[in-house]
Amino acid sequence: MNVYDSARMADVLAPLGFCPVDSAEGADLVILNTCHIREKASEKVFSELGRLKPLKDRDGTMLAVAGCVAQAEGEAILARAPYVDVVLGPQAYHRLPELVARAARGAGTALDTDFPVDVKFDHLPAPATAQGVSAFLTVQEGCDKFCTFCVVPYTRGAEYSREPASVEAEARALVANGAVELTLLGQNVNAYHGRDETGAEIGLGALMRRLSRIDGLKRLRYTTSHPRDMDADLIAAHADTPAVMPYVHLPVQSGSDRILDAMNRGHTAEQYRDLVRRLRSARPDIALSSDFIVGFPGETDADFEATMALVAEIGFAAAYSFKYSPRPGTPAALIAAQVPEAVQDARLQRLQALLRDQQDAFNRALIGKTVPVLYAREGRHAGQLVGKTPWLQPVHAHASNAAAGQILETRILALAPNSLAGEICDTRFDSAERRSA
Ligand code: 5AD
Ligand code: SF4
């Protein structure tokens, strides 16, 4: 979501004459778009600010801190890094031009971390900053679920869904700018419930069916989902809408009912298993990825083994796993029974080894198969393009730039570090290549 937000900040600053550059060196304005989800992400902001300060002293570069660290720690930023010009939370991006102008007048640090009553999406211009073949689009923001470990409900605010018409208009603009694949974003994207032109409320499944009718839009994805909001219609969309990719990121966090309850997740491990069964029966080739937290306060060996058992049973194509990080202001940070770091480390290592094996097996199973790959950008070596399978695996293959933006049948040859090596075997592409030769 921060990648998407950064593109929208570029859009909103464009009328003032700003355009994105590759390096902070020589820039007029540097915006750090920040994440507050774990302590490590949050601490990085202050070290990065220290690194940027000499640029400001030398060239007068304006410095801004945006995103959730700004939202949660605005005052701390002003105290620890008073040389910062603008501090703005995620709900205030549309006010960036005004804040930058105020700071440029030398009026001191401009701080905006309110949750405004007006909706920022109504004030943002149409997306102009090219995101390329595969683009992000925020359809939902915020969260009302209050998992006991999580800062999101406090930093991103209450749950909000954009109207389908506004989402569709933005999707059309992105496709006109070269997007072939859209990833719909939201902290709780499958809680989406936008009101359409007839006044009816539609869910994420219906929204994707509507977007799938846009000419030139071939692939739809969404992230991040909550198991509780995975409704029958969304599951059905995986079966009835070919553009909806066979991949779901569905964080489970833990396989222990006791811990799931302490996390306030609102479901059991068995309910998660059942959901996976329903997704797999709707779309047998569906792949799942997930998020895990190890060492949540009070997690015992038995709780952790329940997580390992759940992973072993389900089989994930990919996963993100983290040590529990106490976040200020969240209920779990106040629980006395924090798990010692060494125990967290050992559990994380075991879990990640299992998840890595599963990811490896998942990728290996594709060797020798022919799959549609959406090519997006140049690879590291000359004459190479990188694309994605329907299951989000990166594939590199020899191809000219003519293949960028195309979905081409590709035979998977081997595993490569962090990707798959493939060979394009699509007849449409062969003839196009010959014509251009
Ligand atoms: N500690 C560790 N991991 C966390 N996450 C969210 N909050 C915390 C925390 N306090 C993880 C969850 C979530 C992902 C985005 O980040 O797994 O799904
Ligand atoms: Fe955080 Fe997700 Fe829980 Fe919301 S549902 S509180 S964003 S972990």
Side-chain angles (χ1 to χ4, degrees), residues 127-377:
T129 302
Q131 287 195 53
V133 168
S134 187
F136 293 123
L137 200 179
T138 293
V139 301
Q140 180 277 341
E141 270 194 326
C143 181
D144 295 336
K145 296 223 166 42
F146 291 92
C147 298
T148 54
F149 53 80
C150 185
V151 286
V152 167
Y154 312 98
T155 52
R156 287 273 176 178
E159 209 217 293
Y160 168 79
S161 293
R162 293 177 68 182
E163 286 175 5
S166 146
V167 171
E168 183 182 331
E170 188 169 329
R172 287 187 184 279
L174 290 165
V175 171
N177 265 333
V180 175
E181 171 176 271
L182 291 181
T183 301
L184 307 184
L185 299 178
Q187 273 84 28
N188 244 241
V189 73
N190 59 341
Y192 178 84
H193 55 104
R195 205 167 281 287
D196 74 9
E197 296 85 335
T198 68
E201 223 173 58
I202 67 165
L204 187 62
L207 179 71
M208 289 199 291
R209 286 192 197 94
R210 176 168 169 167
L211 297 179
S212 72
R213 292 195 286 271
I214 297 175
D215 257 358
L217 179 58
K218 303 279 172 50
R219 287 182 170 188
L220 280 166
R221 303 180 182 279
Y222 56 95
T223 201
T224 282
S225 301
H226 194 294
R228 264 159 66 191
D229 294 317
M230 208 72 213
D231 65 21
D233 188 57
L234 178 54
I235 296 174
H238 279 279
D240 64 34
T241 308
V244 176
M245 288 291 99
Y247 189 99
V248 188
H249 183 64
L250 198 58
V252 64
Q253 316 295 357
S254 168
S256 153
D257 287 345
R258 223 175 55 81
I259 296 297
L260 287 170
D261 188 45
M263 288 175 163
N264 190 31
R265 293 289 291 176
H267 65 84
T268 62
E270 184 47 34
Q271 282 167 332
Y272 186 85
R273 288 184 173 90
D274 182 55
L275 192 49
V276 172
R277 282 192 284 271
R278 283 162 55 212
L279 280 162
R280 284 179 170 156
S281 73
R283 181 81 204 235
D285 66 342
I286 206 159
L288 288 147
S289 68
S290 197
D291 292 344
F292 297 90
I293 296 177
V294 301
F296 183 83
E299 186 187 71
T300 62
D301 283 341
D303 292 321
F304 176 66
E305 293 309 329
T307 300
M308 293 292 283
L310 179 112
V311 172
E313 189 183 322
I314 289 182
F316 290 97
Y320 302 91
S321 44
F322 315 98
K323 286 189 280 188
Y324 169 70
S325 166
R327 307 307 290 126
T330 59
L334 302 173
I335 302 176
Q338 298 289 324
V339 175
E341 179 109 20
V343 176
Q344 291 190 325
D345 282 331
R347 287 180 187 165
L348 188 65
Q349 264 189 26
R350 272 188 62 206
L351 177 63
Q352 289 189 336
L354 176 60
L355 289 166
R356 229 181 351 259
D357 285 351
Q358 292 190 340
Q359 181 165 16
D360 250 31
F362 181 76
N363 290 337
R364 210 175 287 279
L366 219 57
I367 296 174
K369 299 226 165 77
T370 297
V371 295
V373 172
L374 169 59
Y375 287 94
R377 56 178 178 84

